[in-house]
Amino acid sequence: MYLGFTNGDVGYIPTVAAYAEGGYEVESAHFHHYLPVAVTTDSAGRVVELSVALLEFLHER
């Protein structure tokens, strides 16, 4: 999942499958973006879950 215009925050959130493959995004991207820790394996799911909840909330209004 790629995010744009995030004011310097994490711009790529790996999927669960990406962690099994390894590589830059899951192993060292956080270091190059000066973040204290890597993004967790459940982050992509949480973004989707909270986005759906927000859309449902806005739809109710």
Side-chain angles (χ1 to χ4, degrees), residues 6-45:
T6 60
N7 294 330
D9 290 333
V10 175
Y12 178 80
I13 300 174
T15 62
V16 172
Y19 285 88
E21 297 172 8
Y24 169 79
E25 290 84 3
V26 298
E27 295 171 4
S28 62
H30 68 284
F31 175 76
H32 298 289
H33 292 280
Y34 306 104
L35 300 173
V37 295
V39 176
T40 64
T41 56
D42 68 337
S43 293

